[in-house]
Each structure stands twice: as C-alpha cells, then as structure tokens.
Amino acid sequence: MRVYLDHNSTTPIREEVRDRLFELLDEGLGNASGTHSSGRRARAILDDARELVATSLDVPESWVVFTSGGTEANNHALKGCMRGKLPGDLAVSVAEHPSVLETADELLRRGHGLQRLAVDREGALDLEQLRNYLKRPNLRLLSCMLANNETGALLAVEEVAQLLREEGSAAPLWHVDGVQALGKIPLSIREWGVDLMSLSAHKIGGPQGVGVLVRRPDTGLANLLQGGGQESGARSGTENVAGIGAAALAIELAVREQATFATQMRELSEELWTSLHQHLPSTKRVGPGADSDRLPNTVNVLFEGMDGRSLVARLDLEGLETSLGSACSSGAIEPSHVLLAMGYTPEEARSGLRLSLGRTTTHKDIHRAVDILGKVVQSMTTKR
C-alpha cells in the first residue's frame, strides 16, 4: 500500500469534482465566445462558475479572473502591476514561491527596483523591515505569500494589512499568493484590503491547469496575454470551460469544509510529527512550533546529514511519496531557498523533507509513513 504525503504539490481530484468535469466534457461544449447555442451554453457554465467562486470567496464577480494556474496568476499580478509604467519598486519576501521570485528578478532586469524582505528562523516576515520599506515613495507593489508551501509558516496578514492602512493613499498595491492557504485557513480578501490574490484548483482536489487571480478592477492591471480579450479583457485565450466549472466546485467545497478540514489535518500532522520524533529523536521540525499559527497539514523535518534526494528516492521505493521542498537541477540538489532564508546552513537545507497531508490521508497512512521513514533513515544512517 502506497502512502501519498505530497498534497502541497498536488492533490488527488475529488470524486464529485471529477464527476462534474466528466459531465461537462461529455456535453461537448463550444467556445464560450461563440454566439450559437453551444457557445451560449459554455458561456453560461463560465458565468455560473465565476458566480460560485465569487460567492465562496466573498468578493464581487468582477474581481474573478480565471487563469491556467497559480504560476500564471502570480506572473500576471507582478508583471501587470509594473508593465507599461515608469520604473518603480516592488517588494517580495525572500521565501516566496519561485514564480514570484523569478518574476521579480525579471522585473529587476527590466529596470524596476526590487526590495527583498527577510524572514526569521520560523519563516515569519520581518515586519519592521517592511514598515521601513513602505516609507519609500517609489514602492508600487508588495507581494507576500499567505502560507509557505515548504514550511507551513503563515503571513501575519492582519499586521501587514494594518501597516498598509497606516500608509493611506501612499500604500503600494498588495498581492498575496494564497495558493497554499485556500481551503486550509480562512480567507478575508476584502476585509484585509488585498488588491490581488492568486489561487490554484489542483491544491484543493480540483483539476490541474485552472487557477484564479482575484483582483480589484481599480488596480490598473496590464494584460499578460494579448488576443481575443476574454475574461472581460483581463486575460485573452479560449477558456477551459469544463476545467473551470469543475474548479469552481472544488473551491466551493474547500471553503465550505475549511474549518473541519483544518481540525482533521492538525490532528493528523501532530500525530505524524510526535510519532516520527519518538522513532527518530534526532529529527528537527522546521518552521512554526505546534502551538503557533501554521498550515494545519504541513510538516517539514530536517534529517541532518542525509542526502535529501536519496532519501526521497528510497522512501518512494518503499511506498512513501514525499518531496524535498527544494529544486533539483542537473543531478545536484540545490538547497531550499526557503530554509536558507530562515538561517539554515546549505547542508541542513538540503536535508529538509516536506510531508504534506490531504483529504485522503488516514491514521493508517500516518502509521505506515512513520514505519517507512524509521526503516529507511536508520538504514541510510547505518550505511554512512
């Protein structure tokens, strides 16, 4: 029996969402821009999906733009805020997803200023540094991850919102990468004053290839894609109607079930960590402690001295699917940029293992995972 503990990477599609996807695919939908019956039917499904997403997120329908995923949404948010304008600055934390960090670096090469915000040992954003940066007159955009995909660390979103409110009309636009947060913690987009938020369906039991950019229409966001002017001119390209219809259902279910899901995941993740630490006392937990706010489904553990890539491969052979939480390139393991930003050494950052749970995870899976980890780690330690 295989155990899947890589839900922060992608989740199995929910049965009811899969049924909805197949139902829509079987309808042989037309192009939602068409004026004939098939086109109008596709348009109606798209409109219903937008309404469902907007209602679930408590935002106006005009704020919802469908994309191909979280990466496109992040790119659109950053590039759209800076494109076609005089050079200005943007600020991002050093622990962001690569789709934000690499986009920010590209904007830097194009002549925009870039401020990188530090995080502490638990992954929390340096709010005092942010306060100082907000005083700079040329700061146009702030981009912060709401929940870190590697460590589960959460943004102090209320505090950031207050800092931005204190700046009044001089405050920059605020983009939040909410991909890992959706369905795991409550979202209050309007209450926080967020201007743009990126979301992705496949992290919550939806289909891959569908995302959402929630954006206030007054952000002046430039288009990332040019063409037919779909999504009310915000995002050109023929819409994936069946995928969007299924994704909307996944979002609605995730938001509705968020509190129950969080309680279940918190119990399972603490069981995982407690049992693992008992079996392997030398392991260290990365990120916020058990009593701190964190993603309820995410446990990041350091197996010091271990080759992370070898560990993941050995675990896979034994039936446990996990991830490093770091990029692999040309056969070499690059240290996790998140763990490096938190102050860990390159050797430590290469040994971090991300264990992320989901709806399909059971107590039996936890017991099996700990058994496999104990067996593999002890075997690899003996051979060193």
Side-chain angles (χ1 to χ4, degrees):
M1 179 189 71
R2 297 191 67 78
V3 178
Y4 182 76
L5 294 185
D6 197 20
H7 289 262
N8 283 7
S9 176
T10 195
T11 56
I13 190 167
R14 295 183 61 149
E15 183 177 357
E16 54 269 72
V17 174
R18 183 180 64 243
D19 291 344
R20 177 60 172 159
L21 178 62
F22 287 166
E23 173 192 343
L24 293 174
L25 288 171
D26 286 344
E27 288 191 25
L29 298 170
N31 190 313
S33 298
T35 58
H36 43 62
S37 296
S38 294
R40 292 197 301 273
R41 170 62 179 150
R43 172 57 56 185
I45 292 170
L46 201 60
D47 291 343
D48 289 345
R50 197 181 316 278
E51 180 182 10
L52 184 58
V53 171
T55 300
S56 300
L57 299 177
D58 190 27
V59 298
E61 291 179 42
S62 60
W63 290 22
V64 177
V65 177
F66 292 113
T67 71
S68 65
T71 290
E72 183 191 326
N74 283 340
N75 272 260
H76 194 171
L78 271 65
K79 293 178 182 177
C81 285
M82 311 301 283
R83 178 177 289 176
K85 302 178 179 70
L86 293 174
D89 296 351
L90 67 155
V92 303
S93 91
V94 292
E96 296 298 307
H97 188 271
S99 61
V100 167
L101 293 177
E102 292 181 17
T103 302
D105 286 340
E106 180 182 343
L107 290 167
L108 176 63
R109 291 190 292 271
R110 293 183 182 181
H112 295 283
L114 174 59
Q115 306 293 342
R116 296 181 175 89
L117 303 171
V119 296
D120 66 16
R121 187 73 172 185
E122 292 192 346
L125 186 68
D126 186 332
L127 295 179
E128 191 58 36
Q129 185 186 25
L130 173 60
R131 184 191 299 275
N132 293 332
Y133 279 145
L134 289 177
K135 302 299 181 184
R136 302 192 177 192
N138 217 27
L139 185 60
R140 185 175 296 155
L141 176 67
L142 169 67
S143 181
C144 307
M145 180 182 281
L146 185 53
N148 190 270
N149 58 309
E150 292 191 27
T151 67
L154 300 182
L155 177 70
V157 64
E158 299 283 359
E159 289 86 344
V160 174
Q162 179 57 34
L163 290 177
L164 289 167
R165 282 193 290 268
E166 291 172 4
E167 294 302 308
S169 60
L173 293 174
W174 185 19
H175 166 248
V176 172
D177 179 349
V179 167
Q180 290 294 339
L182 179 62
K184 300 171 188 173
I185 64 173
L187 303 183
S188 301
I189 299 173
R190 289 201 286 187
E191 180 181 332
W192 293 332
V194 172
D195 297 296
L196 306 118
M197 180 177 284
S198 303
L199 304 169
S200 183
H202 76 101
K203 306 294 187 180
I204 52 166
Q208 296 178 354
V210 182
V212 174
L213 177 61
V214 181
R215 62 96 172 91
R216 295 175 184 265
D218 60 358
T219 55
L221 199 67
N223 292 343
L224 187 65
L225 301 175
Q226 311 302 316
Q230 286 87 350
E231 291 300 284
S232 299
R235 194 263 188 188
S236 291
T238 301
E239 298 95 341
N240 175 10
V241 177
I244 289 171
L249 175 59
I251 291 172
E252 191 271 335
L253 292 171
V255 172
R256 186 204 308 170
E257 299 170 359
Q258 180 269 315
T260 301
F261 175 82
T263 299
Q264 293 172 342
M265 292 301 102
R266 194 171 293 110
E267 176 186 347
L268 286 172
S269 63
E270 288 311 310
E271 178 184 347
L272 171 62
W273 165 243
T274 300
S275 182
L276 180 60
H277 193 52
Q278 288 174 347
H279 280 69
L280 301 168
S282 63
T283 55
K284 295 180 181 179
R285 187 171 183 168
V286 176
D291 297 329
S292 305
D293 287 338
R294 61 182 302 136
L295 277 185
N297 76 316
T298 305
V299 179
N300 193 306
V301 181
L302 292 186
F303 296 88
E304 290 188 88
M306 290 284 171
D307 179 296
R309 187 180 57 160
S310 297
L311 178 58
V312 169
R314 286 285 304 276
L315 292 172
D316 186 35
L317 289 174
E318 295 294 330
L320 175 58
E321 297 177 346
T322 64
S323 64
L324 290 173
S326 62
C328 294
S329 177
S330 303
I333 303 172
E334 294 298 325
S336 162
H337 72 279
V338 175
L339 271 60
L340 289 177
M342 293 166 63
Y344 290 95
T345 67
E347 182 181 21
E348 289 172 326
R350 288 188 179 94
S351 68
L353 188 72
R354 183 183 69 183
L355 306 165
S356 50
L357 289 57
R359 289 182 62 258
T360 57
T361 307
T362 65
H363 290 282
K364 188 175 181 180
D365 290 332
I366 298 302
H367 299 156
R368 172 80 172 140
V370 172
D371 287 344
I372 293 173
L373 276 161
K375 172 185 173 182
V376 169
V377 170
Q378 288 174 2
S379 172
M380 293 177 67
T381 301
T382 301
K383 292 180 179 180
R384 288 212 308 259

